[in-house]
Amino acid sequence: QHGRVKIKSTAQQEEEKRKEREKKLKAFVSARDAVLKKRSAGEHDEEALQLTQQLLSSNPDFATLWNYRREVLLHLETLREKDEVQKLYESELHFIEACLKVNPKSYGCWHHRSWVNTRLPQPVWTRELGLCDRCLSLDERNFHCWDYRRVVVKESGVSVEQELQFTDRLIGSNFSNYSSWHYRSTLLPQLHPQPALDPAPYTKYELAHNAFFTDPNDQSAWFYYRWLLGRGVCVSGRDRGLSLSLSQAQSEGLMLVLDGLPQQVQWRSAHPRFRHSPVWVSFTNTFSFWGDYSF
Amino acid sequence: MLTIVFFALSGLDVLDALDVVDKPGLIEWIYSLQVLPTDDKSNLSRCGFRGSSHIGVPYSSSKGPGAPHTYDSGHVAMTYTGLACLVILGDDLSRVDKEACLAGLRALQLEDGSFYAVPEGSENDMRFVYCAACICFMLDDWSGMDCQRAIDYIRRSSSYDSGIGQGAGLESHGGSTFCAVASLCMMGKLQEVFSERELKRIRRWCMFRQQNGFHGRPNKPVDTCYSFWVGATLQLLDVFQYTNFEKNRNYILSTQDRLVGGFAKWPDSHPDPLHTYFGICGLSLIGEAELRKVHPALNISMRAFESLRQLQGAWRQKST
């Protein structure tokens, strides 16, 4: 009933609805009691799968039923050959997908799907990725799906670059995609774990710029941009000198490398009393640069 | 269902309307949900409170040992709300087997510091870390969890935008941010775990959740319950006074049902106990007249919290 909008109806319609609900409730209660009785009796058979399927299809948040289903499946595994086990769990995935259509945000469903993939002799990760794509196209903010996608990507060895491209596509088609920006924030550091030493990827501001020029009131790009600016290096004042703002304090020993060539530059801490500082300044008018720099 | 009873009961408490409740009857019912140790104590790791009697265990009002049952176990959210309800009802918790509850809780904690809801396993995330912290806080006994591991889990769940997600790498969320901050406050470790700089950023992320009411994540619609989840977090971080009370209040009231009362997540939607309760708590935070103050971390009225403090004082006296 979460978040349903009210619709007015006549007294007769109300009565019909009430009778319908009562009928459903009776069917549900008797199926539920039957299931719990079977479980107490330790029965792990096809009938258990059928009964739990019936109940979970309309109520995928009934955690006890997923637990029981897992017990039944584990037991059936011991009675089947490998290719039959594959079929058993593939049809389970089919069933879970149907439940997800009812409630794409059910903790129980997603958790069970993750579990099934650990039991499948041969998981089909491309299919799982496809499911995530479909789910996200319906609701880009479904964090259950994003979380599941992260698991799939990890298990199937999809490259970080590929996933970054995925976020490029999503953000490109809709800048207001906080979940995609968030995902980028976890992918970039995987590809480039040392922003202070390799700042270039973190200075590609165009995506963020485009986003907040398109809609300045949207928080997504601003939060992401703030994070980017705080990564490792912020370089300013290229013509007459450099000021370097790092996300972590460093002590002396900074070396500027310009287009592959190390430069002779004197650095002074912006906090003269401290050897460890996040901000360093160099004064030089011997060069202005637009090339690729690293430190 | 214990969590729903908690919403109703605590809501009535904040409304100062507990006199309508049959306190002794309710106390008995709650105690009947306690999963007690069996004579041989072989089920200690499964103790706590269950959410309801649906599994068919015979009724027992916690006056004797537990009856063994293969599938009977506590649920961390039910243990938390069960204890909270007893406190609200003025019970002295003397029939709670504290050792068993704490043992059951320890059994739910994973290597990474988070918690399952039930011993046979479930999803694990910040919600259950919060439930665990509440249980330890109420029982005044932190042996129920490895705090350092839980703290590590919280730190790892901190996101690039300084909000906190349900777990590592997961998107920042108003609900999980509340769970994390409230847990740390109850442990008394907020300033120890986050630097002042980090706290400022968390404050900022939370502040940006106010649109008129509050939402749980950027670019999502506002929802009544976040007036509490985010509001209480801001209160714990000492900056709630800088939010816009009027817009917040107007939003919560716009979700009120004109006919049957209660609050919904959105205007013109069906009210439910959860949103009604958190709507009331959200209003209490802004100092709405005739509502009791709410403890922003433990999420019970300050009245109930005071009686809990007295109880804990008596326990400490006894043990010295």
Coordinates of all heavy atoms in Angstrom, one line a residue, chain B residues 189-246:
Chain B
K189 N 30.7 7.7 19.9 CA 31.9 7.7 19.2 C 31.9 8.6 17.9 O 32.8 8.5 17.1 CB 32.3 6.3 18.8 CG 32.5 5.4 19.9 CD 33.7 4.5 19.8 CE 33.7 3.5 20.9 NZ 34.9 3.2 21.5
L190 N 30.9 9.5 17.8 CA 30.8 10.2 16.6 C 32.0 11.0 16.3 O 32.6 11.0 15.2 CB 29.5 11.2 16.7 CG 29.2 11.9 15.4 CD1 28.8 11.0 14.3 CD2 28.2 13.0 15.6
Q191 N 32.5 11.8 17.3 CA 33.7 12.7 17.0 C 35.0 11.9 16.9 O 35.9 12.4 16.3 CB 33.8 13.7 18.2 CG 33.3 15.1 17.9 CD 31.8 15.2 18.2 OE1 31.3 14.3 18.9 NE2 31.2 16.2 17.6
E192 N 34.9 10.7 17.4 CA 36.1 9.9 17.3 C 36.3 9.3 15.9 O 37.4 9.1 15.4 CB 36.0 8.7 18.3 CG 37.2 8.0 18.7 CD 36.9 6.9 19.7 OE1 36.4 7.3 20.8 OE2 37.1 5.7 19.4
V193 N 35.1 9.0 15.3 CA 35.1 8.3 14.0 C 35.2 9.2 12.8 O 35.9 8.9 11.8 CB 33.9 7.4 13.9 CG1 33.7 6.8 12.5 CG2 33.9 6.3 14.9
F194 N 34.6 10.4 12.9 CA 34.6 11.4 11.8 C 35.3 12.6 12.3 O 35.0 13.1 13.4 CB 33.2 11.7 11.4 CG 32.5 10.6 10.6 CD1 31.4 10.0 11.0 CD2 33.0 10.2 9.4 CE1 30.7 9.0 10.3 CE2 32.4 9.2 8.6 CZ 31.2 8.6 9.1
S195 N 36.2 13.2 11.4 CA 36.9 14.4 11.7 C 35.9 15.6 11.6 O 34.8 15.4 11.0 CB 38.0 14.7 10.8 OG 37.5 14.9 9.5
E196 N 36.2 16.7 12.1 CA 35.3 17.9 12.0 C 35.0 18.2 10.6 O 33.9 18.6 10.2 CB 35.9 19.1 12.8 CG 34.9 20.2 13.0 CD 33.6 19.8 13.6 OE1 33.6 18.9 14.5 OE2 32.6 20.4 13.1
R197 N 36.1 18.1 9.7 CA 35.9 18.4 8.3 C 34.9 17.4 7.7 O 34.1 17.8 6.9 CB 37.3 18.1 7.7 CG 37.5 18.9 6.4 CD 39.0 18.8 6.1 NE 39.3 19.1 4.7 CZ 40.4 18.8 4.0 NH1 41.3 18.0 4.6 NH2 40.6 19.2 2.8
E198 N 35.0 16.1 8.0 CA 34.1 15.1 7.5 C 32.7 15.4 8.0 O 31.7 15.3 7.2 CB 34.5 13.7 7.9 CG 35.8 13.3 7.1 CD 36.4 12.0 7.7 OE1 36.4 11.8 8.9 OE2 36.9 11.2 6.9
L199 N 32.5 15.8 9.3 CA 31.2 16.0 9.8 C 30.6 17.2 9.1 O 29.4 17.2 8.8 CB 31.3 16.3 11.3 CG 31.6 15.1 12.2 CD1 31.8 15.5 13.6 CD2 30.5 14.1 12.1
K200 N 31.4 18.2 8.8 CA 30.8 19.4 8.0 C 30.3 18.9 6.7 O 29.2 19.4 6.3 CB 31.9 20.4 7.8 CG 32.2 21.3 8.9 CD 33.0 22.6 8.3 CE 33.4 23.5 9.5 NZ 34.8 23.8 9.5
R201 N 31.0 18.0 6.0 CA 30.5 17.5 4.7 C 29.2 16.7 4.9 O 28.4 16.8 4.0 CB 31.6 16.7 4.0 CG 32.8 17.6 3.6 CD 33.9 16.8 3.0 NE 35.0 17.6 2.6 CZ 36.2 17.2 2.5 NH1 36.5 15.9 2.7 NH2 37.2 18.1 2.1
I202 N 29.2 15.9 5.9 CA 28.0 15.1 6.1 C 26.8 16.0 6.4 O 25.7 15.9 5.8 CB 28.1 14.1 7.3 CG1 29.3 13.1 7.0 CG2 26.8 13.4 7.6 CD1 29.6 12.2 8.2
R203 N 27.0 17.1 7.2 CA 26.0 18.1 7.5 C 25.5 18.7 6.2 O 24.3 18.8 5.9 CB 26.5 19.2 8.3 CG 26.8 18.8 9.8 CD 27.3 20.0 10.6 NE 27.6 19.6 11.9 CZ 28.8 19.6 12.5 NH1 29.8 20.0 11.8 NH2 29.0 19.1 13.7
R204 N 26.4 19.0 5.3 CA 26.1 19.6 4.0 C 25.2 18.7 3.2 O 24.2 19.1 2.6 CB 27.4 20.0 3.3 CG 27.1 20.8 2.0 CD 28.4 21.4 1.5 NE 28.1 22.2 0.3 CZ 27.9 21.7 -0.9 NH1 28.0 20.4 -1.1 NH2 27.6 22.5 -1.9
W205 N 25.7 17.5 3.0 CA 24.9 16.5 2.2 C 23.5 16.4 2.8 O 22.5 16.4 2.0 CB 25.6 15.1 2.2 CG 24.9 14.2 1.2 CD1 25.1 14.1 -0.1 CD2 23.9 13.3 1.5 NE1 24.3 13.2 -0.7 CE2 23.5 12.6 0.3 CE3 23.2 12.9 2.7 CZ2 22.5 11.6 0.2 CZ3 22.3 11.9 2.6 CH2 21.9 11.3 1.4
C206 N 23.4 16.3 4.1 CA 22.0 16.2 4.7 C 21.2 17.4 4.5 O 20.0 17.3 4.2 CB 22.2 15.8 6.2 SG 22.8 14.2 6.5
M207 N 21.8 18.6 4.7 CA 21.0 19.8 4.5 C 20.4 19.9 3.1 O 19.3 20.4 2.9 CB 22.0 21.0 4.6 CG 22.3 21.4 6.1 SD 20.8 22.0 6.9 CE 21.5 22.9 8.2
F208 N 21.2 19.4 2.1 CA 20.7 19.5 0.8 C 19.5 18.5 0.5 O 19.0 18.5 -0.6 CB 21.8 19.2 -0.2 CG 22.6 20.4 -0.7 CD1 23.5 21.0 0.2 CD2 22.3 21.1 -1.8 CE1 24.2 22.2 -0.2 CE2 22.9 22.2 -2.2 CZ 23.9 22.8 -1.4
R209 N 19.2 17.7 1.5 CA 18.0 16.8 1.3 C 16.7 17.6 1.5 O 15.6 17.1 1.1 CB 18.1 15.6 2.3 CG 19.2 14.6 2.1 CD 19.5 14.2 0.7 NE 20.7 14.7 0.3 CZ 20.9 15.4 -0.8 NH1 20.0 15.7 -1.6 NH2 22.1 15.8 -1.2
Q210 N 16.8 18.8 2.1 CA 15.5 19.5 2.2 C 15.1 20.2 0.9 O 15.9 21.0 0.3 CB 15.5 20.6 3.3 CG 14.2 21.4 3.4 CD 14.1 22.1 4.7 OE1 15.0 22.6 5.3 NE2 12.8 22.2 5.2
Q211 N 13.9 19.9 0.4 CA 13.4 20.6 -0.8 C 12.3 21.5 -0.3 O 12.2 22.7 -0.5 CB 12.8 19.6 -1.8 CG 13.8 18.4 -2.1 CD 15.2 18.9 -2.6 OE1 15.2 19.5 -3.7 NE2 16.2 18.7 -1.8
N212 N 11.3 20.9 0.4 CA 10.3 21.7 1.2 C 10.2 20.7 2.4 O 10.7 21.0 3.5 CB 8.9 21.9 0.5 CG 8.6 20.7 -0.4 OD1 8.5 19.5 0.0 ND2 8.4 21.0 -1.6
G213 N 9.7 19.5 2.2 CA 9.9 18.4 3.1 C 11.3 17.9 2.8 O 12.1 18.6 2.2
F214 N 11.6 16.7 3.1 CA 12.9 16.1 2.8 C 12.8 14.9 1.9 O 11.8 14.1 2.0 CB 13.6 15.6 4.2 CG 14.1 16.7 5.0 CD1 13.2 17.5 5.8 CD2 15.4 17.1 5.0 CE1 13.7 18.5 6.6 CE2 15.9 18.1 5.9 CZ 15.0 18.8 6.6
H215 N 13.8 14.7 1.1 CA 13.9 13.4 0.4 C 15.1 12.6 0.9 O 15.9 13.1 1.7 CB 14.0 13.6 -1.1 CG 15.2 14.4 -1.6 ND1 15.2 15.0 -2.8 CD2 16.4 14.7 -1.0 CE1 16.4 15.6 -2.9 NE2 17.1 15.4 -1.9
G216 N 15.2 11.3 0.5 CA 16.2 10.5 1.0 C 17.5 10.5 0.1 O 18.6 10.1 0.5
R217 N 17.3 10.9 -1.1 CA 18.5 11.0 -2.1 C 18.2 12.1 -3.0 O 17.1 12.4 -3.3 CB 18.5 9.7 -2.9 CG 18.9 8.4 -2.1 CD 19.1 7.2 -3.0 NE 17.8 6.6 -3.4 CZ 17.7 5.8 -4.4 NH1 18.8 5.5 -5.2 NH2 16.6 5.2 -4.7
P218 N 19.3 12.7 -3.6 CA 19.1 13.8 -4.6 C 18.2 13.4 -5.7 O 18.2 12.2 -6.2 CB 20.5 14.0 -5.1 CG 21.4 13.6 -4.0 CD 20.7 12.4 -3.3
N219 N 17.4 14.3 -6.2 CA 16.5 14.1 -7.3 C 15.4 13.1 -7.1 O 14.9 12.6 -8.1 CB 17.3 13.8 -8.6 CG 18.2 14.9 -9.0 OD1 17.9 16.1 -8.8 ND2 19.4 14.6 -9.5
K220 N 15.2 12.7 -5.9 CA 14.0 11.9 -5.6 C 12.9 12.7 -5.0 O 13.2 13.8 -4.4 CB 14.4 10.8 -4.6 CG 15.4 9.8 -5.1 CD 14.8 8.8 -6.1 CE 14.6 7.5 -5.4 NZ 13.6 6.7 -5.9
P221 N 11.7 12.3 -5.1 CA 10.6 13.1 -4.5 C 10.7 13.1 -3.0 O 11.2 12.1 -2.4 CB 9.3 12.4 -5.0 CG 9.7 11.0 -5.5 CD 11.2 11.1 -5.8
V222 N 10.2 14.2 -2.4 CA 10.3 14.2 -0.9 C 9.3 13.2 -0.4 O 8.3 12.8 -1.0 CB 10.0 15.6 -0.4 CG1 11.1 16.6 -0.7 CG2 8.7 16.2 -0.9
D223 N 9.5 12.8 0.9 CA 8.7 11.8 1.5 C 8.7 12.1 3.0 O 9.7 12.3 3.6 CB 9.4 10.4 1.2 CG 8.8 9.2 1.9 OD1 8.1 9.4 2.9 OD2 9.1 8.1 1.5
T224 N 7.5 12.1 3.6 CA 7.3 12.4 5.0 C 8.3 11.8 5.9 O 8.8 12.5 6.8 CB 5.9 12.0 5.4 OG1 5.0 12.7 4.6 CG2 5.6 12.4 6.8
C225 N 8.6 10.5 5.8 CA 9.4 9.8 6.8 C 10.8 10.4 6.8 O 11.5 10.4 7.9 CB 9.5 8.3 6.6 SG 10.2 7.8 5.0
Y226 N 11.3 11.0 5.7 CA 12.7 11.6 5.8 C 12.7 12.9 6.6 O 13.8 13.3 7.0 CB 13.2 11.8 4.4 CG 13.5 10.5 3.7 CD1 12.6 10.1 2.6 CD2 14.5 9.7 4.0 CE1 12.8 8.9 2.0 CE2 14.7 8.5 3.4 CZ 13.9 8.1 2.4 OH 14.1 6.9 1.8
S227 N 11.6 13.5 6.9 CA 11.6 14.6 7.8 C 12.1 14.1 9.2 O 12.8 14.9 9.9 CB 10.2 15.1 8.1 OG 9.7 15.8 6.9
F228 N 11.9 12.8 9.5 CA 12.6 12.3 10.7 C 14.0 11.8 10.4 O 15.0 12.2 11.0 CB 11.8 11.2 11.4 CG 12.6 10.7 12.6 CD1 12.6 11.4 13.8 CD2 13.3 9.5 12.5 CE1 13.4 11.0 14.8 CE2 14.1 9.0 13.6 CZ 14.1 9.8 14.8
W229 N 14.1 10.9 9.4 CA 15.5 10.3 9.2 C 16.5 11.4 9.0 O 17.6 11.3 9.6 CB 15.5 9.4 7.9 CG 14.5 8.2 7.9 CD1 13.6 8.0 7.0 CD2 14.4 7.2 8.9 NE1 12.9 6.8 7.3 CE2 13.4 6.3 8.5 CE3 15.0 6.9 10.1 CZ2 13.0 5.2 9.2 CZ3 14.6 5.8 10.8 CH2 13.6 4.9 10.3
V230 N 16.3 12.3 8.1 CA 17.3 13.3 7.9 C 17.2 14.4 8.9 O 18.3 14.9 9.4 CB 17.1 14.0 6.5 CG1 18.2 15.0 6.2 CG2 17.1 12.9 5.4
G231 N 16.0 14.8 9.4 CA 15.9 15.8 10.4 C 16.6 15.4 11.7 O 17.4 16.1 12.3
A232 N 16.4 14.1 12.1 CA 17.1 13.6 13.3 C 18.6 13.6 13.1 O 19.4 13.9 14.1 CB 16.6 12.2 13.7
T233 N 19.1 13.2 12.0 CA 20.5 13.2 11.7 C 21.1 14.6 11.9 O 22.1 14.8 12.5 CB 20.8 12.7 10.3 OG1 20.2 11.5 10.0 CG2 22.3 12.5 10.0
L234 N 20.4 15.6 11.3 CA 20.8 17.0 11.4 C 20.8 17.5 12.9 O 21.7 18.2 13.3 CB 19.9 17.9 10.5 CG 20.1 17.7 9.0 CD1 19.0 18.4 8.2 CD2 21.5 18.3 8.6
Q235 N 19.8 17.0 13.6 CA 19.7 17.3 15.0 C 20.9 16.7 15.8 O 21.6 17.4 16.6 CB 18.4 16.7 15.6 CG 18.3 16.8 17.1 CD 17.6 18.1 17.5 OE1 18.1 19.2 17.2 NE2 16.4 17.9 18.1
L236 N 21.3 15.5 15.5 CA 22.4 14.8 16.1 C 23.7 15.6 15.7 O 24.7 15.5 16.4 CB 22.5 13.4 15.7 CG 21.4 12.5 16.3 CD1 21.4 11.1 15.6 CD2 21.6 12.3 17.8
L237 N 23.7 16.2 14.5 CA 24.9 16.9 14.1 C 24.8 18.4 14.4 O 25.7 19.2 13.9 CB 25.0 16.7 12.5 CG 25.3 15.3 12.1 CD1 25.2 15.2 10.5 CD2 26.7 14.8 12.5
D238 N 23.9 18.7 15.3 CA 23.7 20.1 15.8 C 23.4 21.2 14.8 O 23.7 22.4 15.0 CB 25.1 20.5 16.5 CG 25.3 19.8 17.8 OD1 24.3 19.6 18.5 OD2 26.4 19.4 18.0
V239 N 22.8 20.8 13.7 CA 22.5 21.9 12.7 C 21.0 21.9 12.3 O 20.7 22.6 11.3 CB 23.4 21.8 11.5 CG1 24.8 22.2 11.8 CG2 23.3 20.5 10.8
F240 N 20.2 21.1 13.0 CA 18.8 21.1 12.5 C 18.2 22.5 12.6 O 17.3 22.8 11.8 CB 18.0 20.1 13.4 CG 16.6 19.9 13.0 CD1 16.3 19.3 11.8 CD2 15.5 20.4 13.8 CE1 15.0 19.2 11.4 CE2 14.2 20.2 13.4 CZ 13.9 19.6 12.2
Q241 N 18.6 23.3 13.5 CA 18.0 24.6 13.6 C 18.2 25.5 12.4 O 17.5 26.5 12.2 CB 18.6 25.4 14.9 CG 20.0 25.8 14.8 CD 20.9 24.8 15.4 OE1 20.7 23.6 15.3 NE2 22.0 25.3 16.1
Y242 N 19.1 25.1 11.5 CA 19.3 25.9 10.3 C 18.4 25.5 9.1 O 18.4 26.0 8.0 CB 20.7 25.9 9.8 CG 21.7 26.3 10.9 CD1 22.6 25.5 11.5 CD2 21.6 27.6 11.4 CE1 23.4 25.9 12.5 CE2 22.4 28.1 12.4 CZ 23.3 27.2 13.0 OH 24.1 27.7 14.0
T243 N 17.5 24.4 9.4 CA 16.6 24.0 8.3 C 15.4 24.9 8.3 O 15.2 25.7 9.2 CB 16.2 22.6 8.5 OG1 15.5 22.4 9.7 CG2 17.4 21.6 8.4
N244 N 14.6 24.8 7.2 CA 13.4 25.7 7.1 C 12.2 24.9 7.8 O 11.7 24.0 7.2 CB 13.1 26.0 5.7 CG 12.0 27.0 5.5 OD1 11.0 26.8 6.2 ND2 12.2 27.9 4.6
F245 N 11.9 25.3 9.0 CA 10.8 24.6 9.7 C 9.5 24.7 9.1 O 8.7 23.8 9.0 CB 10.7 25.2 11.2 CG 11.8 24.7 12.1 CD1 13.0 24.1 11.6 CD2 11.7 24.9 13.5 CE1 14.0 23.7 12.4 CE2 12.7 24.5 14.3 CZ 13.9 23.9 13.8
E246 N 9.2 25.9 8.5 CA 7.8 26.1 8.0 C 7.6 25.3 6.8 O 6.5 24.6 6.7 CB 7.7 27.6 7.6 CG 6.2 28.0 7.5 CD 6.1 29.5 7.0 OE1 7.0 30.3 7.4 OE2 5.2 29.8 6.3

